[in-house]
């Protein structure tokens, strides 16, 4: 069972594991997942606002590594949402967040970075550079940030409240229209009234 210290993050479902301000889920890839764009779409299809994993701290990296030992029984390597931008000559996250942390395994300094992406070794937590055309996509680690998912919850809650208010108004109007009606003595004219006797111009009306 996954637990968290209060306040817990509201995750999309029990398949997602909370940590700090995000939720994480390891999803099964499919024959239709050919590259990074497909992997990101798989994440978005399982939770609004979700994307392929980004890692922004040592604690987050350790959390993911530990979950592969205890909860996720995944492949040897998973793809990270990172690529090398040849225009700026730096690694970037696909979700445009700032790169605050890296955990590269020691490699040769002359590694060709053109069309390069990143993977994580699930046992050690170390990162490895690979060709973007050879990413491991049998399983995809997705992340849904608290901000993105909370926005969805707010929208759903707002719609629910609006529907409830409309339904209550309908019931109220229905109750008003079904109130007992009273008749003027010796007349076919009817007017709505409560179950009370009242007088207009000294002519008695009764329910």
């Amino acid at each position: 069972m996954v637990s968290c210290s209060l306040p817990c993050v509201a995750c999309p479902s029990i398949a997602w594991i909370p940590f700090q301000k995000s939720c994480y889920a390891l999803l099964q890839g499919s024959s239709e997942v050919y590259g990074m764009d497909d992997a990101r779409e798989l994440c978005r299809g399982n939770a609004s606002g979700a994307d392929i994993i980004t890692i922004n701290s040592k604690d987050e990296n350790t959390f993911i590594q530990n979950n592969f030992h205890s909860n996720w029984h995944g492949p040897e390597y998973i793809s990270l949402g990172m690529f090398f931008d040849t225009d700026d000559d730096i690694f970037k996250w696909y979700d445009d967040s700032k790169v605050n942390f890296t955990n590269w395994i020691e490699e040769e300094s002359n590694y060709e970075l053109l069309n390069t992406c990143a993977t994580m070794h699930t046992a050690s937590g170390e990162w490895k550079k690979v060709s973007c055309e050879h990413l491991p996509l049998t399983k995809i680690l997705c992340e849904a940030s608290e901000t993105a998912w909370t926005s969805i919850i707010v929208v759903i809650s707002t719609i629910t409240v609006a529907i409830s208010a409309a339904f209550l108004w309908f019931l109220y109007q229905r109750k008003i229209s079904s109130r007992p009606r009273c008749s003027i003595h010796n007349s076919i004219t009817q007017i709505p009234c409560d179950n009370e006797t009242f007088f207009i111009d000294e002519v008695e009306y009764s329910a």
Side-chain angles (χ1 to χ4, degrees):
M1 179 179 294
V2 178
S3 61
C4 62
S5 57
L6 295 176
C8 281
V9 176
C11 291
S13 73
I14 59 173
W16 295 74
I17 299 176
F19 177 73
Q20 294 181 350
K21 294 184 178 181
S22 295
C23 299
Y24 305 79
L26 185 66
L27 305 180
Q28 181 66 49
S30 70
S31 58
E32 297 179 355
V33 178
Y34 297 106
M36 182 59 68
D37 289 342
D38 296 327
R40 299 182 72 191
E41 189 62 32
L42 178 66
C43 292
R44 297 188 188 108
N46 277 266
S48 297
D51 206 338
I52 194 166
I53 184 70
T54 63
I55 302 176
N56 297 299
S57 69
K58 182 178 180 180
D59 288 343
E60 186 178 14
N61 199 82
T62 301
F63 161 79
I64 293 170
Q65 180 187 353
N66 290 341
N67 271 281
F68 272 104
H69 294 162
S70 58
N71 294 308
W72 303 320
H73 302 290
E76 184 179 4
Y77 286 91
I78 57 164
S79 297
L80 302 179
M82 176 177 275
F83 70 100
F84 185 78
D85 188 332
T86 54
D87 292 333
D88 295 333
D89 201 34
I90 57 173
F91 276 93
K92 294 182 178 180
W93 293 113
Y94 276 102
D95 67 357
D96 295 325
S97 59
K98 185 178 180 181
V99 177
N100 296 316
F101 169 81
T102 59
N103 194 36
W104 299 113
I105 191 172
E106 291 187 11
E107 297 175 328
E108 296 180 5
S109 59
N110 61 349
Y111 185 91
E112 176 58 55
L113 294 176
L114 183 65
N115 194 31
T116 297
C117 289
T119 62
M120 175 182 177
H121 187 245
T122 56
S124 67
E126 293 180 314
W127 302 5
K128 182 178 178 63
K129 302 179 184 73
V130 298
S131 168
C132 294
E133 297 178 356
H134 299 95
L135 287 169
L137 299 172
T138 55
K139 290 192 176 181
I140 312 299
L141 183 58
C142 304
E143 177 180 1
S145 67
E146 180 184 31
T147 301
W149 184 245
T150 300
S151 298
I152 301 301
I153 293 176
V154 170
V155 171
I156 294 175
S157 299
T158 302
I159 294 174
T160 301
V161 170
I163 293 175
S164 299
F167 181 68
L168 291 174
W169 177 252
F170 168 76
L171 292 179
Y172 173 75
Q173 292 297 320
R174 184 177 180 181
K175 181 178 180 181
I176 292 296
S177 64
S178 63
R179 290 173 60 183
R181 307 179 70 85
C182 56
S183 302
I184 302 175
H185 290 303
N186 301 321
S187 173
I188 62 172
T189 304
Q190 291 186 330
I191 58 174
C193 65
D194 295 323
N195 293 327
E196 298 176 354
T197 300
F198 59 97
F199 297 87
I200 299 178
D201 294 332
E202 297 182 353
V203 178
E204 182 178 354
Y205 295 79
S206 61

